[in-house]
Amino acid sequence: GDCSARFVALNHGKDVVEIDIKSGAGQRAVLDLARTSDVFVHNWAPGKAAELRLDADDLHGVNPRLVYAYASGWGAALSAGAPPGVDFMVQAYAGLGELVGGPGAPRPSLMTLLDVLGAHVCVAGILAALVDRQRSGHGHRVDSSLLGAADLLLAEELAAAGAPSQGPRPGALLLARVFDTADEPLAVAVRSATTLAALCRFLGMPVPEVSDPVPAIESRLAPVLAGAPALTWRNTLHRAGVPAAVVRRDLVALPADPRFASRFAAHGCSVVTTPWRFS
C-alpha cells in the first residue's frame, strides 16, 4: 500500500504520537507520557536533552521509577567539536574499518553495524536497569554509545594490541571464506587446530608447517570445491568434521521456506519476527 516495508519492519506494534518537543506544550506532553512509562530512550545530540528540559533529572522528577536511556554516538569519549556521531564516522574513528576492509585497506562497512549493535547494547542496559528496578524500586539513567559498540566488536584486537605475537588467539577464525562450487557459493569456517587438521585430511595433505597455513589450504581447496554442487560438499565436509554452509542469495524465497515459516509475519509484506521463543 502506501507504507514502505522498512517502516513496517521498524515500527509495527508501536503507537505513533506527533509532538513538537521544541514547544513548551510539547515538552509538557512528553512529561505526561513519562509519568506512566517504564522506559524513555533518545539519541539526541549532546546537550539537546537539557536544552529541551527533557533530561534524566526532568523526567525522574515526574516518575522516579523511569529508566532513562541515552544512546549517543561518542559517549563521553570526544570533546565538543567532534564529528556527527553517525555509524560510518564512528566505524572509521574506532578502527573498525581496518577490521572490515583488511590490514592496510580500511573500509568501514556500509551496513550499519554499529547502529544495529549499538541498539542491542542500549537494550541490554535498559533490561539490566529494569531488573534492578524490580529489586530497588527506583529508576536509572543508562548511557550507551556507538563507540561502545565498536569497542565491543574490537575487544579482542584491542586486548591483543602491543602484546607479543603468540599465534592465533583461542577461538579466532583460522579460515573463513566463501568458495565457488559447481552451483551455489559455499562458506567454510575453521576455528580450531583440530578442524584445520580435519580439513587437511579431507584434502589429503599434511598441515602446512608455516605460521599462516591458510593460503596453502585455500589454494588447494578452491579447485576441489569447484567440481561439485555446494550441497554435496556441505554434506561431505560435515562428515569430515569441517563446518560449511551453502550461502543463501535469494532472500525473497525465505518466507516461503517452511523451516522459517515461524520467523515471519505478514503486514502486507514479510516482516521478521522476534528471535525469542518462551515456554
Side-chain angles (χ1 to χ4, degrees), residues 51-112:
E51 178 187 322
L52 294 170
R53 298 188 180 89
L54 295 174
D55 211 345
D57 289 342
D58 300 303
L59 272 69
H60 281 148
V62 300
N63 182 357
R65 288 175 52 83
L66 184 75
V67 172
Y68 182 102
Y70 177 27
S72 69
W74 300 108
L78 298 185
S79 59
V86 295
D87 185 288
F88 192 81
M89 287 290 181
V90 180
Q91 282 193 51
Y93 174 88
L96 191 58
E98 180 86 356
L99 190 66
V100 173
R107 188 175 297 278
S109 171
L110 291 178
M111 176 184 174
T112 52

Side-chain angles (χ1 to χ4, degrees), residues 44-215:
W44 297 324
K48 182 57 95 175
E51 178 187 322
L52 294 170
R53 298 188 180 89
L54 295 174
D55 211 345
D57 289 342
D58 300 303
L59 272 69
H60 281 148
V62 300
N63 182 357
R65 288 175 52 83
L66 184 75
V67 172
Y68 182 102
Y70 177 27
S72 69
W74 300 108
L78 298 185
S79 59
V86 295
D87 185 288
F88 192 81
M89 287 290 181
V90 180
Q91 282 193 51
Y93 174 88
L96 191 58
E98 180 86 356
L99 190 66
V100 173
R107 188 175 297 278
S109 171
L110 291 178
M111 176 184 174
T112 52
L113 298 175
L114 299 184
D115 278 348
V116 174
L117 181 59
H120 283 275
V121 170
C122 181
V123 168
I126 289 170
L127 293 176
L130 288 171
V131 169
D132 187 75
R133 188 184 73 172
Q134 290 296 105
R135 301 169 176 171
S136 67
H138 60 77
H140 290 277
R141 174 179 173 135
V142 179
D143 285 273
S144 64
S145 68
L146 298 184
L147 187 59
D151 288 345
L152 192 60
L153 286 177
L154 290 163
E156 289 187 354
E157 283 67 27
L158 293 171
S165 178
Q166 298 176 338
R169 295 185 303 279
L173 280 168
L174 304 179
L175 182 150
R177 183 180 152 184
V178 173
F179 293 87
D180 291 328
T181 71
D183 52 10
E184 298 294 320
L186 185 75
V188 178
V190 173
R191 189 179 287 277
S192 67
T194 301
T195 308
L196 188 68
L199 180 57
C200 289
R201 285 196 300 273
F202 164 76
L203 292 170
M205 62 181 287
V207 178
E209 294 183 4
V210 293
S211 59
D212 182 8
V214 172

Side-chain angles (χ1 to χ4, degrees), residues 223-273:
V224 172
L225 295 182
L231 192 58
T232 299
W233 287 127
R234 186 204 68 179
N235 296 338
T236 302
L237 287 170
H238 280 196
R239 288 193 295 270
V242 179
V246 179
V247 178
R248 184 180 289 274
R249 293 187 290 186
D250 184 9
L251 297 183
V252 175
L254 275 176
D257 188 327
R259 294 173 297 174
F260 296 100
S262 65
R263 303 299 182 187
F264 294 91
H267 289 266
C269 56
S270 296
V271 176
V272 180
T273 59

